[in-house]
Every structure is written in C-alpha cells, then in structure tokens.
Amino acid sequence: MRVSPKLSADRVSALALLTFSLGYSYLAANIALFPGGEHQVFTARTLPIGLSVCAVLVSLALLIQSFLTAGAVSVDNVPLRWSRGFALCALMVFFGMGIPRLGFIFSSGLFLAAALLVMGERRVYVVLAVVLSITVTAWFLLGYVLDMYLEPGLLGEILG
Amino acid sequence: MIDGILIGLTTALTPTNLMMVAGGCLVGTFIGMLPGLGPISAIALMIPVTYGFDPAAGMILMAGVYYGAVFGGSTSSILINAPGVAGTVASAFDGYPLAKAGHAGKALAIAAYSSFAGGTIGAVLLLIAAPVLSKLALGFQSPDYFALMVLGLTAVAAFAGEGQILKAVMMTIVGLMLSTVGTDAAEGLPRFTFGRLDLIDGISFLLLAMATFALSEALIAAMKTEETASPSEEKASPTIGSLKLTSKEVADIAPTIGRSSLLGFFVGVLPGAGATIGSFLAYGMERYIAPAAEKVKFGFGALRGLAAPESANNAACTGSFVPLLTLGIPGSGTTAVMLGALLSYNVQPGPQLMTDHPDVFWAVIVSMYIGNFVLLVLNLPLIPYISRILLLPRKVLTPLILFFSLVGVYLVSSNHVDIYIMVAIMLATIGLRIANYPVAPIILGFILGGMMEENLRRSLELSDGSYQFTVERPLTLSILLMAVIVILGPLVSKILSTRKRVANDHQI
C-alpha cells in the first residue's frame, strides 16, 4: 500500500513532537533547584513537568491518530520550491552572522540585495533603488531620529 | 460627573491639544506599523518630547500615540501577517486572509470602525463605572486569575478546524513549553537555557510572533512555484478592494462589536490581563456562538473574526486605564509607562487624582474618545495609501517582509543570536504548517504561560499545595465552569445533533 504524503507528514510531525516532548521532559526533570527546594509546594520544575506529561500524552495520541486516519489534505501541502526557501534561510543566517562583522547597515544592504536576486529580481536599478532607499532610511530613522544603537561591526570600527 | 466632563472637554478641545492628539495618532500609527515598536515603545519615545508640556497636554499626546500605535499594529497584522504586539495577533487570523483575497481596504476599514466602536464603548464605560470597577478588579485573587488564564486557553477551540482539536491542544502545550524557557520568575533559576546567556531572558513574544507568522508566511509564499502560486499571489494582491461595507455586513458585525467591546473592557480592567487576553477571548467567543455556516469561515476571512478582536483590544486598552487612574495601579506595560510619565509631571494617579488634578483626570478620559475619533477621521483616508504596500510585486515584497521582521526583533535585543533562533522556529513552523497544524495556539499558550504559572504558584502556595482553591471561591469556580462549557459545549452539541439525525433517519 502506498503511503500518502499527508499521512507520512502527520506521522513524521507526531514523531518529531514526541521526540521534542521527551527531550523537554528530560530537561524539565533536571532543572536545578535550590537545596531543599524539592520540598516546596511549587518549584521551577512543577509546571514544566506537568507540561511534559501532557505533551507526551498528546503527541502519543497524535501518533496513534496518524495511523488510524488518512487526514485531510493540508492547504499548505503543495509543491514548494525548497531550493529558494533554503537559500533565503541561509541568507537570514548570514545576515545574523554579518552584523557583528560587517555592521548593521552594510549587512542589511547585502541581505536585501541577495534576497531580491534569490527572488528573481534581475533589474539592477530596482535592486539598487530598494537597497539604497531602505538602508539609508533605516540608518537615518533608527540611528538619528530614534537614536538607537546600530552595530558598527568590525568593518565599521576599522573604517572609523 | 457632568462638571468633570465639561472640564475635560474644555481642556481637550483647545486647538493646541487637538493638534497634540492628531499628531499623536499619526506618529503612533507609523511607529505601530514597524515590527518591534508597539504602543509601549511609542509612548516611551514620547516622554522626552512631552517634558516641557503641561500634564494634560502631555497625556493627551500620549493617548493619541497609544491609539495610533494600536491601530498601526493592526495594520501590519492585517496587511503582511506581522503582528508586532500581542494585542493584535488575533486580528491577523481573519484580517490577513481578507487582505490576501484582495479585500485589504475592507479589512482595514473594519479594523478602524471596530477600534473606534470599541474605544467609544470603553470610554463611556470608563466615564460611568471607573470607581466601581476598580473596586471589583481588586477583588480578583490569584485563583481567579488562574481560572481566567485557563478560560483564555480554551479559546484554542476557536483555532481548531474539523478533526484538528488534538493538534490545536498540542500546539497550545508547545506554546506553554516555550514560555518556560529562561529564568524562572519566582526563584531566579535558569530553565532550558543550555547554559547560554542568550536564552537567560527567555524567548521574546515578538521573536515568536514574527517567526511563526510573518517569516513562515513570507517564506512559504516565496517557495510556491509559478504553478502553485495563483496569479494574484505572484503579483501580491492585485487590488486592495473597496473600503465600503454593505448594510448586511454592518448588521452582521454590529452585535459582534458590542459584545466584544464589553468583554474587552472588563478584561482590560483586570490588572495584568489586558488587550491580548481580551482579543483572544472575544475571537473565541464569537466563533463559539456563531452559526455553523459562519463558524467555518473563521480563519479564512470572516468579518466577525476581525471585528471581534479589534473592538475588544481597543476597549481593553481603555479598560486598562481604570486601575491606573482610580487606584494608581498600572494594569499593563503601556499604562506602566504612562504612570511614569504622570509621576514625572508630579501628578500622582490614584483615588485623589480626581480631586487633586481634575483637569488631568477628565482630560485624559475625554481625549481618549477624541483620540478614537481623530484616528478614524485621519486613518480612513490613509487606508488606500497604506494598503498600497500589497501592490508591490512578491519578489520585492517578500525580501522586505523578511528584512523588517528580522530587524524588528534584532533591534529590540541587539542580539544577533535572536536571528538564528527565529530561523529555527520559522523552519519548525513551516514543518508544522505542512502537516496541517494550526500555529496560532502556540502564541496563545506562550502569552498566557507566564501569567498562568505565576498565578498557579501563588494559588498553590496560599492553599498549602492543595488544588481545593479551584472550588473554594465562587468566582474561580464560575470561571472554570465557563471554561469547561466552552471545551465540552461543541462536543455535546455534536453528539446531540448526531442523535437527532439518527432519530430522524429511523423515523423516515
């Protein structure tokens, strides 16, 4: 019998949630308490342990349910262009990594330009217009009008 | 009271103060639209500006900024599914589908009308019942708050589609679990931090909301291929639609606005409850009482689903001024900032405010109403221009949504690790959405988790570890019974309707 993609998505997600719940339970049981804290009525562990029990039970129920029902087709369960998604995720991570090195403004410009290219925008003047307008506005509005700290990064420090 | 209202009107209706409230509404709207900058930040930014003003003018400006920021937050929720503040999360559930379907104009107009109505009803109730309500609010104890949080969690039923109740419950638990990350509020012990300082303050609401709503939505839209994306999606929304509501639509949402405003106001009066719980409860209540044909529309662009949280959150904002003005207790983060502003003017809010500074007391109340009116007059004409953001092509709009969501979170903490956490949560959310899990309950659980733990702790400590506290107070018991009815009601009615159908079949 061929397993439908929806069915396997249900099973995989239920298994992932069960794993997450078990991991959470393990960490909850190991939350450090003050000496004698375990005799208190309510500790830092009380709610997490209660939630762990609920989470494990509900995720088990979901797993059993995934074997019993075929489920409805998800509205989001459509062919997706994963390469584009991963490229954008990678850009977001590089944006985060770039801030302490290249500074906020320069990283922002690079992120926007690269994201526009990944999304298929090939017109140079559009890319330049978006990047320049957003970064200059952000620099002026955040840095000067709202007086917020904008990370200069190593590059900013080198350039003075 | 009539004298007081006249004092308030005389103070608030001077040309300078009218300019203050109008300017405040405009500035607040634009600040509120930026992810990460909600009413608290907007008001905090205004404090240095208002130092030289007299107290009434300063408070009037801040009231304008407050309402503007709340409306601005709703705008970003509705247009790009990016709720910058907790109070506007519920507005995205039906507001964003409406905007996606090409009715952004109508969605924003409903938000404006509902906010106006909610604020107006709230202001009237504030005028009439402020002193009485503040005494009632003080009667609420930890067990009652705990019961209220449980009732808030039952709103999860509103997000569960057919056969999805287990998934919605699981997502609520995940939200509650995420709320326990960070330092334990009572004992100061780290939980689930893996020894990292980046997690010591826990996961911020903004980070979670942006990752689960704005980022995941934008990324899914970016990943859709030309075959799977509809032509309208490829070009973003081709139209923003009309702002006009038909008389049938007005008749449909009017009772919703009335009910939600009352509910929102009373929840807002309770210190700590505020606009978020008010908006979720109103959304849940409306879905619960809606006829079967209307119920299925919730989550897909139901007008009632947008009107309910919008009127409730505005009424709750007004309600949160009751404990501030009458008792000097700030009921929310925003009113705490306002308390600071009042103290900087040497005005002490509390029972004596009405006698010591009647001009300030009444001017604030009257200016709230004027702020609502000005917001409607100023923002309705702006809607076609604000909505134009949706006319940007998707290949330009998506990078901008990603950028503003990331930057909104980064600028609050100045910690680039938050960006990695956002990406991780976004990927998990996309996985859950593909498996057809509703993600809104994560936010509901997360928002209520901290407050629920705090009140459960106090209740258990007061009752020496016994769960008897749930039945000892009539108020606690009543609220918990309401929660049971909300959860079991649909199940019972389903069983009854099945029995009726079977009986009818037998008769035939």
Coordinates of all heavy atoms in Angstrom, one line a residue, chain B residues 195-240:
Chain B
G195 N 22.8 26.7 29.3 CA 24.0 27.4 29.8 C 24.3 28.6 29.0 O 25.3 29.2 29.1
R196 N 23.4 29.0 28.1 CA 23.7 30.2 27.2 C 23.0 31.4 27.7 O 21.8 31.4 28.1 CB 23.2 29.9 25.8 CG 24.0 28.9 25.0 CD 23.6 29.0 23.5 NE 24.0 30.3 23.0 CZ 25.1 30.5 22.3 NH1 26.0 29.5 22.1 NH2 25.4 31.7 21.8
L197 N 23.8 32.5 27.8 CA 23.2 33.8 28.2 C 22.1 34.3 27.3 O 21.3 35.1 27.7 CB 24.4 34.8 28.4 CG 25.3 34.7 29.6 CD1 26.4 35.7 29.5 CD2 24.5 34.9 30.9
D198 N 22.2 33.9 26.0 CA 21.3 34.4 25.0 C 19.8 34.0 25.4 O 18.9 34.7 24.9 CB 21.6 33.9 23.6 CG 23.0 34.2 23.2 OD1 23.3 35.4 23.2 OD2 23.8 33.3 23.0
L199 N 19.7 32.9 26.1 CA 18.4 32.4 26.4 C 17.9 32.7 27.9 O 16.8 32.3 28.3 CB 18.3 30.9 26.2 CG 18.3 30.4 24.8 CD1 18.5 28.9 24.7 CD2 17.0 30.8 24.1
I200 N 18.8 33.4 28.6 CA 18.5 33.7 30.0 C 17.2 34.5 30.2 O 16.5 34.3 31.2 CB 19.7 34.3 30.7 CG1 19.8 33.9 32.2 CG2 19.8 35.8 30.6 CD1 20.5 32.6 32.4
D201 N 16.9 35.4 29.3 CA 15.7 36.2 29.4 C 14.5 35.5 28.7 O 13.4 36.1 28.6 CB 15.9 37.6 28.7 CG 16.8 38.5 29.6 OD1 16.8 38.2 30.8 OD2 17.4 39.3 29.1
G202 N 14.7 34.3 28.2 CA 13.7 33.6 27.5 C 13.5 34.0 26.1 O 14.3 34.7 25.6
I203 N 12.5 33.4 25.5 CA 12.2 33.8 24.1 C 11.2 34.9 24.1 O 10.2 34.9 24.9 CB 11.6 32.6 23.4 CG1 12.6 31.4 23.3 CG2 11.1 32.9 22.0 CD1 12.0 30.1 22.9
S204 N 11.5 36.0 23.3 CA 10.6 37.1 23.4 C 9.3 36.9 22.6 O 9.3 36.1 21.6 CB 11.2 38.4 22.9 OG 11.3 38.4 21.5
F205 N 8.2 37.5 23.0 CA 7.0 37.4 22.3 C 7.1 37.8 20.8 O 6.7 37.1 19.9 CB 5.8 38.2 22.9 CG 4.8 38.5 21.9 CD1 3.8 37.5 21.6 CD2 4.7 39.7 21.3 CE1 2.9 37.8 20.6 CE2 3.7 40.0 20.3 CZ 2.8 39.0 20.0
L206 N 7.8 38.9 20.6 CA 8.0 39.4 19.3 C 8.7 38.4 18.4 O 8.3 38.2 17.2 CB 8.8 40.8 19.3 CG 8.9 41.5 18.1 CD1 7.5 42.1 17.6 CD2 9.9 42.7 18.2
L207 N 9.7 37.8 18.9 CA 10.5 36.9 18.1 C 9.6 35.7 17.7 O 9.6 35.3 16.5 CB 11.7 36.4 19.0 CG 12.7 35.5 18.4 CD1 14.0 35.6 19.2 CD2 12.3 34.0 18.3
L208 N 8.8 35.2 18.6 CA 8.0 34.1 18.3 C 6.9 34.4 17.3 O 6.6 33.7 16.4 CB 7.4 33.5 19.6 CG 6.7 32.2 19.5 CD1 7.6 31.1 19.2 CD2 5.9 31.9 20.8
A209 N 6.3 35.6 17.6 CA 5.2 36.0 16.7 C 5.7 36.3 15.2 O 5.1 35.9 14.3 CB 4.6 37.3 17.2
M210 N 6.9 36.9 15.1 CA 7.4 37.2 13.8 C 7.8 35.9 13.1 O 7.6 35.7 11.9 CB 8.7 38.1 13.9 CG 8.3 39.5 14.3 SD 7.3 40.2 12.9 CE 6.5 41.4 13.9
A211 N 8.4 34.9 13.9 CA 8.9 33.7 13.3 C 7.7 32.8 12.8 O 7.7 32.3 11.7 CB 9.8 32.9 14.2
T212 N 6.7 32.8 13.7 CA 5.6 31.8 13.4 C 4.6 32.5 12.3 O 4.0 31.7 11.6 CB 4.8 31.5 14.6 OG1 4.5 32.6 15.3 CG2 5.5 30.5 15.5
F213 N 4.5 33.8 12.3 CA 3.5 34.4 11.4 C 4.2 35.0 10.2 O 4.2 34.4 9.1 CB 2.7 35.5 12.1 CG 1.6 34.9 13.0 CD1 1.8 34.6 14.3 CD2 0.4 34.7 12.5 CE1 0.8 34.1 15.1 CE2 -0.7 34.1 13.3 CZ -0.4 33.8 14.6
A214 N 4.9 36.1 10.4 CA 5.4 36.8 9.2 C 6.5 36.0 8.5 O 6.4 35.9 7.2 CB 6.0 38.2 9.7
L215 N 7.5 35.5 9.1 CA 8.6 34.9 8.4 C 8.1 33.6 7.7 O 8.4 33.4 6.6 CB 9.7 34.5 9.4 CG 10.7 35.6 9.8 CD1 11.9 35.1 10.6 CD2 11.3 36.4 8.6
S216 N 7.4 32.8 8.5 CA 6.9 31.5 7.8 C 6.0 31.7 6.7 O 6.1 31.1 5.6 CB 6.3 30.6 8.9 OG 5.1 31.1 9.3
E217 N 5.1 32.7 6.8 CA 4.2 33.0 5.7 C 4.9 33.6 4.5 O 4.7 33.1 3.4 CB 3.2 34.1 6.2 CG 2.1 34.5 5.3 CD 1.1 33.4 5.0 OE1 0.8 32.7 5.9 OE2 0.7 33.3 3.8
A218 N 5.9 34.5 4.8 CA 6.7 35.1 3.7 C 7.5 34.0 3.0 O 7.6 34.0 1.7 CB 7.6 36.2 4.2
L219 N 8.1 33.1 3.7 CA 8.9 32.1 3.1 C 8.1 31.0 2.3 O 8.5 30.6 1.2 CB 9.7 31.3 4.2 CG 11.0 30.7 3.6 CD1 12.1 31.8 3.3 CD2 11.6 29.8 4.6
I220 N 6.9 30.7 2.9 CA 6.1 29.7 2.1 C 5.6 30.4 0.8 O 5.6 29.8 -0.2 CB 4.9 29.3 3.0 CG1 5.3 28.3 4.0 CG2 3.8 28.7 2.1 CD1 4.3 27.8 5.0
A221 N 5.3 31.7 0.9 CA 4.9 32.4 -0.3 C 6.0 32.4 -1.3 O 5.9 32.3 -2.5 CB 4.5 33.8 0.0
A222 N 7.3 32.6 -0.8 CA 8.4 32.7 -1.7 C 8.7 31.3 -2.3 O 9.2 31.2 -3.5 CB 9.7 33.1 -0.9
M223 N 8.4 30.2 -1.6 CA 8.7 28.9 -2.1 C 7.7 28.4 -3.1 O 7.9 27.4 -3.7 CB 8.9 27.9 -0.9 CG 10.1 28.2 -0.1 SD 10.5 26.8 1.0 CE 9.1 26.8 2.1
K224 N 6.5 29.0 -3.1 CA 5.5 28.5 -4.0 C 5.9 28.7 -5.5 O 6.4 29.7 -5.8 CB 4.1 29.2 -3.8 CG 3.4 28.6 -2.6 CD 2.1 29.2 -2.4 CE 1.4 28.7 -1.2 NZ 0.2 29.4 -0.8
T225 N 5.8 27.6 -6.3 CA 6.2 27.7 -7.7 C 5.1 28.5 -8.5 O 4.0 28.7 -8.0 CB 6.4 26.3 -8.2 OG1 5.1 25.6 -8.1 CG2 7.4 25.5 -7.5
E226 N 5.5 28.8 -9.7 CA 4.5 29.6 -10.5 C 3.2 28.8 -10.7 O 2.2 29.3 -10.8 CB 5.1 29.9 -11.9 CG 6.0 31.1 -11.9 CD 7.4 30.9 -11.2 OE1 7.8 29.7 -11.0 OE2 8.0 31.9 -10.8
E227 N 3.4 27.4 -10.7 CA 2.2 26.6 -11.0 C 1.3 26.6 -9.7 O 0.1 26.6 -9.9 CB 2.5 25.2 -11.3 CG 3.4 24.9 -12.5 CD 4.9 25.1 -12.2 OE1 5.4 24.4 -11.4 OE2 5.5 26.0 -12.9
T228 N 1.9 26.6 -8.5 CA 1.1 26.5 -7.3 C 0.7 27.9 -6.8 O -0.4 28.0 -6.1 CB 1.9 25.8 -6.2 OG1 3.1 26.5 -6.1 CG2 2.1 24.4 -6.5
A229 N 1.4 28.9 -7.1 CA 1.0 30.3 -6.7 C 0.0 30.8 -7.7 O 0.1 30.7 -8.9 CB 2.2 31.2 -6.7
S230 N -1.1 31.3 -7.1 CA -2.1 31.9 -8.0 C -1.6 33.2 -8.6 O -0.7 33.8 -8.1 CB -3.4 32.2 -7.2 OG -3.1 33.2 -6.3
P231 N -2.1 33.6 -9.8 CA -1.6 34.8 -10.4 C -1.7 36.0 -9.4 O -0.8 36.8 -9.4 CB -2.6 35.0 -11.6 CG -3.2 33.7 -11.8 CD -3.2 33.0 -10.5
S232 N -2.7 36.0 -8.6 CA -2.8 37.1 -7.6 C -1.7 37.1 -6.6 O -1.2 38.1 -6.2 CB -4.2 37.1 -6.9 OG -4.3 36.0 -6.1
E233 N -1.3 35.9 -6.2 CA -0.2 35.8 -5.3 C 1.1 36.2 -5.9 O 2.0 36.9 -5.3 CB 0.0 34.3 -4.8 CG -1.0 34.0 -3.7 CD -0.8 32.5 -3.2 OE1 -0.6 31.7 -4.1 OE2 -0.9 32.3 -2.0
E234 N 1.3 35.9 -7.2 CA 2.6 36.2 -7.8 C 2.8 37.7 -7.9 O 3.9 38.2 -7.8 CB 2.6 35.6 -9.2 CG 3.9 35.6 -9.9 CD 5.0 34.8 -9.1 OE1 4.7 33.9 -8.4 OE2 6.1 35.3 -9.1
K235 N 1.7 38.4 -8.1 CA 1.8 39.9 -8.1 C 1.3 40.5 -6.8 O 0.9 41.7 -6.8 CB 0.8 40.4 -9.2 CG 1.3 40.1 -10.6 CD 0.3 40.7 -11.6 CE 0.6 40.2 -13.0 NZ -0.5 40.5 -13.9
A236 N 1.4 39.8 -5.7 CA 0.8 40.2 -4.5 C -0.7 40.4 -4.7 O -1.2 39.9 -5.7 CB 1.4 41.5 -3.9
S237 N -1.4 41.2 -3.9 CA -2.8 41.3 -4.1 C -3.0 42.3 -5.3 O -2.5 43.4 -5.2 CB -3.5 41.9 -2.9 OG -4.2 40.9 -2.2
P238 N -3.8 42.0 -6.3 CA -3.9 42.9 -7.4 C -4.7 44.1 -7.1 O -4.5 45.1 -7.7 CB -4.6 42.0 -8.5 CG -5.3 40.9 -7.7 CD -4.5 40.7 -6.5
T239 N -5.6 44.0 -6.1 CA -6.4 45.2 -5.7 C -6.4 45.2 -4.2 O -6.1 44.2 -3.5 CB -7.8 45.0 -6.2 OG1 -8.4 43.9 -5.6 CG2 -7.9 45.0 -7.7
I240 N -6.8 46.4 -3.7 CA -7.0 46.5 -2.2 C -8.5 46.5 -1.9 O -8.8 46.5 -0.8 CB -6.3 47.8 -1.7 CG1 -6.8 49.0 -2.4 CG2 -4.8 47.6 -1.8 CD1 -6.6 50.3 -1.7

